[in-house]
Amino acid sequence: MDLKPSGSLKIDTFSMRIGDIEGVELDRLHAHSLAVGWPHRAEDWQFLRESGEGFVALDEIGRVLGSAMWFAHGDDFATVGMVITSPRLQTLGAGQWLMKRVFDKVAGRDLRLNATRAARRLYLSLDFQPEKTVYQCQGIARLQTTGRPANTRDDVRILDARDIPAIIALDAAGFGVRRAALIERLFAHSAGYGLFKDDTLTAFALCRPFGRGHVVGPVVAESDADAVAIVRPHVADHSGSFLRIDTHMDHGEFAAFLSHSGIPVFDTVLTMSLGKRLSDFAIDGAPTTYALASQTLG
């Protein structure tokens, strides 16, 4: 497969050119994602630009017709996201053209992304391998008044800046890759709850403004019961408002808790990898990532 990127792509009667995503006004990026029904606000785009790098495809008068971003964690791994092409260009090679540009920048890294149904054929053509379904759970949150209470043997409390090193370490154990810079940025924009056993952080859940309301993630815990214990306070905090969680969990206590809390499955995407598989990052006895930071960030 020839993955060498070119500098331009001819589409019908006009050409597109590549630009750095940093040089594009936020309102144009916001309009770009709205055109395909994605919920990202201008503020969400700005957070992503601060956390990663990316390209845009521009037409001859500077309109944004495509985008692709990557988020590197160390020298060996990156996630890919915000791969969007204008609907009329989705069958004309624009997505593959953008991805080849990304490949040029992340050469040598293992890659992970979450693919919409519309994009799966593109990623399969680029040798990405299917991994797990991500369940996009969202709705108007409501606090359960019945059911199993939070584990009273454990200490659940609000997290503060002193907990960041422990959060980074726990996230790395669950995700399989250390994401220190990203976790610090997420923490600065989030409220967080942690579960402690003998003064050691064993589970955490962050929640921040996103899209139509708030998103909970990442969530890392050792068991369904622990995951419920740290997500429940966020549901209480946002009861009556829009809440979203992206999770690989489709059954068990945690999945049932989300459904009963007014946050049922709305849609699905597919986690895919290029290079090392998810199982290659798994650590025996490590905690589990119950919710992604987002579909873009993993």
Side-chain angles (χ1 to χ4, degrees):
M1 182 184 300
D2 180 15
L3 295 180
K4 185 174 179 58
S6 60
S8 62
L9 178 67
K10 191 75 171 179
I11 298 290
D12 279 342
T13 59
F14 66 92
S15 295
M16 293 191 301
R17 59 182 174 84
I18 283 288
D20 191 316
I21 204 165
E22 285 293 335
V24 179
E25 293 87 350
L26 286 174
D27 60 344
R28 289 200 288 160
L29 293 174
H30 184 214
H32 174 53
S33 53
L34 281 178
V36 293
W38 288 21
H40 299 71
R41 307 166 303 155
E43 295 89 341
D44 300 324
W45 273 103
Q46 181 57 28
F47 179 86
L48 293 172
R49 292 202 303 188
E50 292 169 355
S51 303
E53 301 177 78
F55 293 121
V56 288
L58 304 168
D59 69 8
E60 294 164 330
I61 61 173
R63 291 176 296 189
V64 179
L65 299 182
S67 62
M69 297 192 69
W70 65 96
F71 306 85
H73 305 291
D75 296 329
D76 301 321
F77 180 84
T79 58
V80 176
M82 302 308 290
V83 181
I84 305 172
T85 55
S86 173
R88 65 180 176 139
L89 304 182
Q90 287 175 357
T91 61
L92 299 176
Q96 188 169 79
W97 180 60
L98 282 163
M99 285 299 297
K100 288 181 179 182
R101 301 291 301 192
V102 172
F103 283 164
D104 190 48
K105 294 295 185 179
V106 298
R109 287 183 166 91
D110 298 305
L111 302 179
R112 194 181 303 171
L113 55 77
N114 292 298
T116 63
R117 281 183 287 274
R120 288 174 194 174
R121 182 179 297 180
L122 165 65
Y123 298 129
L124 288 170
S125 74
L126 295 170
D127 295 331
F128 280 86
Q129 300 300 308
E131 295 279 8
K132 293 181 177 180
T133 299
V134 176
Y135 299 90
Q136 179 181 326
C137 302
Q138 64 185 50
I140 304 302
R142 60 176 186 270
L143 186 63
Q144 288 179 288
T145 57
T146 61
R148 184 176 183 270
N151 191 339
T152 55
R153 296 174 303 172
D154 301 323
D155 178 22
V156 177
R157 67 165 172 82
I158 296 173
L159 297 168
D160 60 39
R162 295 170 297 177
D163 300 309
I164 292 176
I167 296 169
I168 291 171
L170 201 60
D171 176 75
F175 189 76
V177 174
R178 185 175 173 85
R179 306 188 289 176
L182 175 62
I183 294 300
E184 288 177 352
R185 288 191 184 94
L186 287 169
F187 190 86
H189 292 264
S190 302
Y193 289 96
L195 186 149
F196 292 80
K197 297 178 181 177
D198 298 325
D199 296 323
T200 298
L201 181 70
T202 61
F204 76 89
L206 302 182
C207 179
R208 68 189 188 280
F210 174 82
R212 294 172 56 190
H214 284 74
V215 62
V216 179
V219 176
V220 180
E222 295 177 344
S223 68
D224 277 29
D226 289 354
V228 170
I230 52 174
V231 171
R232 179 179 278 117
H234 290 303
V235 174
D237 291 344
H238 299 287
S239 184
S241 61
F242 186 87
L243 200 60
R244 171 173 167 172
I245 299 180
D246 294 289
T247 179
H248 286 127
M249 307 300 168
D250 64 340
H251 64 277
E253 183 181 352
F254 182 73
F257 168 76
L258 297 182
S259 181
H260 294 156
S261 298
I263 318 170
V265 175
F266 171 77
D267 199 0
T268 62
V269 295
L270 181 65
T271 299
M272 304 182 76
S273 61
L274 182 63
K276 288 184 178 179
R277 305 296 299 270
L278 282 179
S279 58
D280 297 321
F281 292 95
I283 302 171
D284 290 340
T288 299
T289 297
Y290 274 81
L292 311 182
S294 71
Q295 291 181 12
T296 293
L297 297 170

